[in-house]
Amino acid sequence: MQPLSPQGQTPFCVVATAGSTVFGAFDPLHDIADICEIHRLWMHVDAAWGGGLLLSRKHSYKLSGIERADSVTWNPHKLMGVPLQCSALLTREKGLLGACNQMQAEYLFQPDKVYNINFDTGDKTIQCGRHVDVFKLWLMWKAKGTYGFEVQIDRYMELAKYFYKVLKKKDNFKLVEQYVFVNFLFNDICIYTQIAPKIKAQMIVEGTVMLSYQPCGDKVNFFRMVFSNPATRQTDVDYLIDEIQRLGKDL
Ligand SMILES: *Cc1c(COP(=O)(O)O)cnc(C)c1O
């Protein structure tokens, strides 16, 4: 039976998020999948950010239930560290992307090749020439291996935990949220709603560190630290905290 919305419209799809962009929140995918099964709704999971965690045996539980989705978005250019841009749309139903997207433009993808043209991905994507982006992921996977990616993801999570622990001990920082992202406020004083942009401006002028900040509705701006660079070490984390304190000292 199809449910109706209060406006009398018929929903056909649920889009769940596995790793929201700012807070890193995960929807309960099994619960959503149960509802989608009962009502025969298409289940899509936006795992653009969080998808990388699937490579970690320790942290993949966050996405438990994603295996029940009909389609998934996953951006290897985020947690996996593939150079921009590399975004994937995965579907369970074989042939679906071809059926939706193919234009059979003969000047692009000739059907009379000497090899099996099933390997031509170009006619299955809406991106035409950009489908070769996935080659970067393939190369990186060959070079690092699944284990290499796992080590990388686990290190991000360790660094986030470390960063969180250090900030928690400091009384001039207030934590908003922790995940692969650590969201925090410096100098937790609401009248300083412009303090994060001011510190950021100093960062740019001095060229020592770069960190983005986010508004949070009508609340004060907070800093958002994302670990997604395999070269980052604990000493960088310590340096960042020292810099924020130094740059914000006189504000
Ligand atoms: C980055 C992001 C997107 C956008 O992905 P693009 O491939 O850059 O368009 C979508 N959803 C989430 C949760 C994201 O973090």
Side-chain angles (χ1 to χ4, degrees), residues 74-237:
W74 167 43
N75 283 6
H77 70 229
K78 292 186 173 169
L79 272 190
M80 319 289 295
V82 174
L84 276 165
Q85 63 185 39
C86 184
S87 302
L89 172 62
L90 311 171
T91 59
R92 180 183 295 286
E93 199 177 315
K94 212 169 178 179
L96 188 65
L97 292 176
C100 292
N101 297 315
Q102 70 179 332
M103 306 288 278
Q104 291 175 324
E106 281 151 12
Y107 64 96
L108 283 174
F109 307 111
Q110 300 84 356
D112 51 354
K113 299 237 177 77
V114 295
Y115 58 84
N116 180 355
I117 58 163
N118 281 328
F119 291 119
D120 280 345
T121 53
D123 218 18
K124 297 173 187 164
T125 162
I126 47 174
Q127 293 208 294
C128 198
R130 281 166 288 167
H131 67 106
V132 288
D133 286 335
V134 79
F135 186 56
K136 292 178 289 189
L137 172 63
W138 185 84
L139 273 180
M140 198 178 256
W141 211 322
K142 281 277 172 196
K144 286 178 189 264
T146 303
Y147 181 67
F149 272 129
E150 179 174 45
V151 169
Q152 174 180 321
I153 300 292
D154 286 351
R155 177 178 303 136
Y156 296 156
M157 298 301 275
E158 277 303 311
L159 283 170
K161 217 163 101 184
Y162 172 73
F163 191 41
Y164 181 86
K165 252 174 50 194
V166 176
L167 290 190
K168 217 172 161 185
K169 282 196 213 126
K170 297 191 178 279
D171 43 350
N172 52 349
F173 287 88
K174 180 177 187 257
L175 287 144
V176 182
E177 200 82 37
Q178 182 235 340
Y179 190 49
V180 189
F181 327 125
V182 179
N183 294 322
F184 61 97
L185 303 163
F186 175 65
N187 263 354
D188 185 31
I189 300 169
C190 289
I191 47 168
Y192 289 141
T193 51
Q194 290 308 310
I195 195 161
K198 275 189 179 147
I199 293 176
K200 166 96 185 227
Q202 278 304 111
M203 287 176 180
I204 293 171
V205 169
E206 302 213 12
T208 49
V209 290
M210 278 281 266
L211 186 60
S212 67
Y213 62 84
Q214 310 281 328
C216 183
D218 54 355
K219 293 199 202 76
V220 53
N221 286 297
F222 60 85
F223 280 116
R224 173 172 168 251
M225 176 68 192
V226 181
F227 292 94
S228 62
N229 179 348
T232 308
R233 296 289 178 269
Q234 265 189 18
T235 47
D236 302 309
V237 175

Side-chain angles (χ1 to χ4, degrees), residues 17 19-21 46 48-49 75 77-78 87:
T17 305
S20 63
T21 312
D46 179 349
W49 244 128
N75 283 6
H77 70 229
K78 292 186 173 169
S87 302

